[in-house]
Structure formats: structure tokens, C-alpha cells
């Protein structure tokens, strides 16, 4: 038995309880989990939080899981996964639109790195409606997001909304 | 690190190259794979091959994979998975219709066995069109299925078609 | 304000907690609800329970809702809805496959009865995985369905499974 | 029987004949309809017409329906619906992509306001292809949109296209 | 310029106005159209009308189109298309479920006959809800199908329903 | 037999091997193919390459196909198709999201030009994951796109990425 490492990539802008559910479930199926935060990309200004802020929210929220690490990556995902000797990339699927997007990414990644597997979890029904974008919109309109994201994220969103 | 066991359930009536692709990829991600063949069910007469025949085709076709075993199961899948102390149930997803069916099964299984995870692979593009049903229809019309299923299965299908 | 009558049609073979959720929500939006049980149809032998049994389960399970009635219908749904002077036909949508089927039925019904509206509820996430067919299969394999259907239905299913 | 109020929310930038079809059908199923126009939002500059212009087009186009009112809202939809003591939020569904988006919104709104129902109409086949975005693009290229939107909207679009 | 032959395959049990719309549009895009009626297949007893009856309805209904022929075929579709030196197989797409099924058939046929193209028309909105199965069910319940199928088909369906 | 002209419209920003596959297959089904490059549109600055650059890549890549021409168009597609006396507009379908978008466009175009047909090819499995957007992102991150686009396009993308 060799160590099984999974990569959970995403923007995490910001992390939601839905992301944490997938990360937690991955940590029970694999030996080691690297949550890979997309750093500065080609569409430079589109995130609400900086890569460092997004990573720090994740570090804080996954503190109780011994086999989970958080890293920022700035290269191609398949190159990052190879450097970390990952067994698999792990993604959550909520809806048909996710399915199609992920299928496309999957086939592109297989072309680039045939030896790297991608595996998928279905989002829990409790979180299948949850997108970072929706959370940010709700917070902007003064909605209560404390059930949807970790407490420090909720506070940060409300501070920004008040501006 | 504990041993990671995956269950690959299915009717396998008969096994196709698409099934074998998923089984092979599962055997690289997990330590041990149990291919679980649906035995006698409620819809008794609908399979073309008996459970024993379907298992034997699988035993033959997966002979080269050291960490793969084949078993027939006749109880509820989640009960079988618990008995085998499985880490996860593994399924392949080819299309949206698979996605919806599997999502439904997933939520039903979570209700019955919340501690059991299900993970999904996307079918390889080369096999995304491949269903056992389609293979059986083609063989019935005299089509050549030798690229789609293992050789012994192709022979058995052609023997039945000639009757 | 005229009285608003909704028709909730279905096979209800047997009624599940998901059906009851839609019926209950309909009873809060409309003044009067007629749950319309499909009687003897063209595919005669496919139901597990007779129309009378299916109606009786519904009568029992909706006893607490003052504005809900149960009826068996044996003609075209749009003709039944017209006879009852219904404002709308009400259906639940769980998944994309439901959406497509219902869209097709909707357009067919509009052709037959342009003045009759159909409105849709989304299934609650707790019940989106629930189909009568799945419940029947689970019961056949000895699975516990007491969280999924009303108690008398669960008992009837288990009695049949033991045969 | 209490009065049944429905809320029809949207950007209506600008109102199309497809929107008017849904509003008209809602006015036949419910006692009172409030068409709720999204006001200044977080994505401030993306509408072609101001909230006042969009409301005025709607007031003009729904003039013949006695039980329909138009209002601009600037808070969370569920808060607006509560203030108006709405029985239900009403949306039109045209396509699978609508279905998924609305399902997500539905589940988010249920979390925020469990007592508030959302009900859906299927778009009429004659309007299922119609989006405000498509109409604006066509008008920009000089296409004739007079069959797709009310006459005053068509005129306004053509005036803008000539600039 | 060589002659362009299209094959329109189907069960046509029975032909509907939706089928005729696709056949008519194909006859305007291609030089010659062969409507290929599925003959005796593996699921022997499932059609309501015999292959001869289904062909005769088509011959009658397409009488006005000079470049359309009707044939029954009993071999694999790709083999039939090759024998007729077809340029393309033509299918209509109504819904997502059609899309997935046709995509699967397409990929299977490409594997069997890479040189043979398949092209698709979208069903007209007026007919997108129309399936032979739905028409047969409606007729069984005494519904009026005279807007949905050619007159001789409607008569035949009503004769069978009266039995 | 009259000459059959097909229009293959698109942004082609830049052309991919997936586009070329559809263009090549169209050139075998129709007598003449006009690849119609979207020129300056309403969303002016969103293309990476100018209309002239995009056309030149296409001219270069389709050089071996005698019956294919490349043109830039700046009016409504249906008007352009009419001017060229086209028999049909041809599009490729890769995924469900394509299907829905194209269905909408199809119905809009039918409203504008009922005599003009649109026909669809399914993308080859080898290219079903390929979008110009994905190729541009990969090139930006330094990924190797030489299997996905013609050589001159790959070079141009890498030159831009190095900036």
C-alpha cells in the first residue's frame, strides 16, 4: 500500500460549507488531501478575496482535519498534481452544468496527463444549491449567510457589504 | 494508512471494455477492488447471461489485475459494502442520464448508510457510447462487437445471435 | 375571488413522503386540492397496488388536510380537470428527466386544453431522490423504507416482500 | 378563502412577449400579481434600461390586466415577498439551464424563508427561445424584433441601435 | 456535384406530423431521401402496427414529395445506409434525452462506419412534444389525435382504441 | 440537382481542430461550404484575435479543401445566409449546454427566416472537450496546445502568452 494523495482544486472565493463537506469526505477516502487554491490567474481582478485570504480561510476552517493541507498554485493544475505525486484530482458535482464543465476539464486533463485520475463526489443535498457567487450576492444584499459559510468568512463578507 | 477497498457494482450483462476501463482505473486509485455482480433480483428474467456466467467473464477479463476480486451479491448494495468494510462505492458516469440516475441512487444510499462514500469516474471518451444493451442489440443484428467487449464475451454473443 | 382548485395527478403506487410534501404545499397555495389517482390504464398489470388500495393509502395519509380530496380517474387527465373545474394541474419536479417528461406532457395538454394551466413545484431536497419504483425495489431486498413512506404503506410493502 | 398573491420577479431588461405570457397566466391562477423589477443591484451597470424605464414598459404592457401591479424592489427577494405577504414566487422555465438555476435559487430561498413557496410555469413553445439578451443583440444588428417585444420596447431598442 | 442521399431511419409506429416535418425538411436539403422503417427486430412484439402498415402510412403521407422513398430495413442501419450509398443519416432532435441517446448511437455508428455522416435537425417547436408513444396512449383514452398524425393514422388508431 | 451551400458560422477565436473537423465533414456532405467568421460585434473588445487574423488562420488551415471558402460577416447571420443563397446553416454540437443554446438560436432564426434550415453535426469524441476559451487559458498558463489547434495558431498563442 502506497500513500494515496488527493488534490481538491478550486478558487474558494470564499470557501463555503459545501466545499468543506467535499474536503472532509475526501479526507476519509484518501490518506492525504491537498486543497489547491487557484492563485493569480489570467482573469486577474475577478476574485473578491486575495489568494492569501482565501487560503487563510481554508487553513482556519480545516484545522481539525489532520491529513489536510492548503496550498496556493499558479501553474497548470495537472503540473501541480504531478509535482505533488497526486493519485487523483477530486471535484464535487452539484448539478448538470457542473457535470458538463467537469467532463470537459476531465477530457482536457486526460489529454495533458493520461496517468492522472480524476474522481468525483456528489454534493450533499444540503449543499447542492451553494455556490460562492450566490453567497457573495446574498451578503451584498444584507442576507444572513452564517449557515452557509464558516464564521470568519461570514464576518468578512458582512464587513465588505457594509462598505 | 488503512487498506482502501472500493466496490464496483453492476449487472455486467455482459462486461464491456467500458466496464473494464473503470475497473482498471479504480484498481490504480484504491488498494483493493471488489467487482460486485448483481445476482438474482426482483426482475428475474431480464439478464441475457446468468450471474455465474457474468462473473466468469469478469474473472477472465480482469485476470491481470492483482488487487481485483469478483463477487456475486444478492442483498442491498449498502449492506454488501458494509460486510466487505468498503471505503467507497465506485461508479462510472457516461452521460447526463447516468448522472441523474446515480445522483438519485447516491442520495438513497446516503440515507441508508451515511458513513459509506460513493465516488465517480467519468467514462473515457472512447467508451462513453458503450452500454451492454447496445452491444447485445448489435450482436443480434450480426454486427461486429469484437472492439467493444472481451473476446470470450464477443464469442458468446455471436453464438447466441446465431440461434 | 373565486375558489382555486388544483389537481395533483399521479399513479401513487404507492404514495411516498415526497408526494405528501407536494400535496401539502399545494394545499397551502390553492383553496382546494384534488389528488387524482390514475385508475385502470392501458398498461393494465404494471401497478403493485390496485387503484382502490392506492387511494386508501392517500386518504389515510392526507387525513389532516381539510382542503384535500382523493379521487380515482380513468379518463384523459385534461377531461377530468375540466369536469372538476380545476384552475391548474400541479406536478412536482425532481430532476432534469422529470423536467423533460413534464414539458412534453405540458405541451400535449396545452394542445388539448389551452385554457388549463399547469404549475410545478420543485421537490424538497430531502425527497428529490425518492421514486415509488425505488421504494418498491428497496422493500423487495428487505431494506427499511419507514423513513420514505407513511407507516401503513411501509407495512404493506414489507408484507408483500415476505411472500 | 384568503387572497392569493403571486410575485413575478425579474430584471425585465426589457420585458418580452415571453414575460408577458407568464404574467398573464399567473394573473389567471392567482388573485393578485406583483411584478417585481430588480432595481439597482451589485452589478450596477449591466442593464440596458434603468429600473424606472423597465417598470414603465411593464406598466404599459400589462395595462389590460386588472389584478397586476408593477414594483421595483432593491432588497432580497424573499424579504420583499414577505413584506407583500405573498403566497408564492412565480417563475417561468424555458430550458434545462433555467431549471438548474431556478432549482438552486429555490433551495437557497427555502433556506432563507421556508414558509414561502415558489411555483413554476413552463414557457409557451412560442416563447421558449426568447431571452432579453437575445432580443437586445438582434436589435443591435438591425434585426426586426417587433414580434418579440411590445411595440414601445421595440421602438426604444431600435432608437438605441441607431446611435 | 454528386447526388446527395439522406436516410431517415425510425420505427414510425405510427408516423406523426413531427416525423413528416423532419422528412419534408430533409427533402429540401438533400437530393434524395430514403425513409427507412425498422422491420422485425429483436423486441418482436412491441410495435402496434406491422412493418407493412407503418410503411404504407408513410407512403400515403409523403405522396406529395417527389424525392422521398419509403423502405423497410431489417439489417444494421449502417449496413443499410452503405448499400444505398447514403451521404448521411438524418435524425430529428426534440429534447435533451433525444440528444443523449442520439449521441450514443452516433458514436457507435462512427465506430462501425467512420465514413458515414449523421446530421440532425431540431424538431419544430410545434412538434417537440410529439412522440408516437404519447399519441398511442391518447388515442387509447379516447383523446382526439387528428392534429397530431395524418388522417388515415388517426382513423386506424381510433379503430384500435374502440376494440 | 441544385448546388447545396452550407454556412459554418462562428467566432473562431481562434480556430481549433474541433472546428476543422466539423468544417471537413460539412465539405463532404454539401457541395460548397462558406465558413462565416463573426466580425466586429456588439461586444467589441472580447476577441483575442482580430477578424482578419481569425480569417487568415482559417484560410491557412482549410487550404486543402477545394469547396471551402472563408468570409467575414458583420450583419445578422440569417441575412448573410440569404445573401449567399445558403441551403443550410451548419453547427457542431458537443454537449447539452451547446444543445440548449443552439436550440434557442435555431428557434429565433426560424422566426426570422423560416425558409432557412439549420443542421447539426455531433462533435467527434476526440474534440468534444475542445473550446477556444479553454485553449486560450491553457496557452496562458504555458500548456502545450499543439495537439488542439493548427500549428500557426499554436505559435501565435504561445507568442501572446510570453508577453
Amino acid at each position: 500500500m502506497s500513500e494515496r494523495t488527493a488534490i481538491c482544486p478550486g478558487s474558494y472565493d470564499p470557501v463555503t460549507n459545501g466545499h468543506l463537506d467535499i474536503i472532509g469526505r475526501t479526507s476519509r477516502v484518501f490518506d492525504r488531501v491537498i486543497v489547491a487554491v487557484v492563485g493569480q490567474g489570467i482573469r486577474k481582478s475577478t476574485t473578491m478575496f486575495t489568494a492569501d485570504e482565501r487560503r487563510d480561510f481554508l487553513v482556519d476552517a480545516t484545522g481539525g482535519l489532520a491529513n489536510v493541507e492548503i496550498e496556493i498554485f499558479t501553474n497548470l493544475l495537472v503540473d501541480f498534481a504531478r509535482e505533488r505525486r497526486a493519485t487523483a484530482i477530486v471535484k464535487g458535482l452539484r448539478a448538470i452544468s457542473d457535470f458538463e464543465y467537469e467532463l470537459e476539464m476531465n477530457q482536457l486533463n486526460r489529454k495533458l496527463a493520461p496517468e492522472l485520475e480524476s474522481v468525483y463526489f456528489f454534493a450533499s443535498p444540503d449543499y447542492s444549491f451553494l455556490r460562492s457567487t450566490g453567497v457573495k450576492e446574498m451578503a451584498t444584499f444584507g442576507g444572513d449567510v452564517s449557515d452557509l459559510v464558516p464564521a470568519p468568512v461570514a464576518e468578512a463578507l458582512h464587513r465588505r457589504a457594509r462598505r
Side-chain angles (χ1 to χ4, degrees), chain A residues 17 49 72 86 95-96 99 117 150 161:
Chain A
N17 291 345
F49 296 101
I72 295 169
I96 302 287
F99 174 85
E117 289 295 342

Side-chain angles (χ1 to χ4, degrees), chain A residues 78 82 103-118:
Chain A
V78 295
R82 277 168 168 160
L103 180 56
E104 214 174 285
M105 282 300 103
N106 183 280
Q107 294 182 355
L108 199 57
N109 286 340
R110 285 169 75 91
K111 193 119 191 167
L112 298 169
E115 83 290 354
L116 184 69
E117 289 295 342
S118 294

Side-chain angles (χ1 to χ4, degrees), chain A residues 145-159:
Chain A
V145 298
S146 57
D147 278 4
L148 309 175
V149 292
V153 174
E155 282 161 35
L157 284 166
H158 289 145
R159 269 198 306 277

Side-chain angles (χ1 to χ4, degrees), chain A residues 17-35:
Chain A
N17 291 345
H19 295 133
L20 293 174
D21 178 61
I22 298 292
I23 293 168
R25 290 158 65 194
T26 305
S27 78
R28 288 193 293 277
V29 171
F30 290 86
D31 299 307
R32 182 187 175 210
V33 180
I34 300 171
V35 180

Side-chain angles (χ1 to χ4, degrees), chain A residues 32 37 65 84-85 90 101 141 154:
Chain A
R32 182 187 175 210
V37 179
L65 298 167
R84 293 299 174 274
R85 299 170 175 275
V90 170
Y101 175 79
F141 281 105

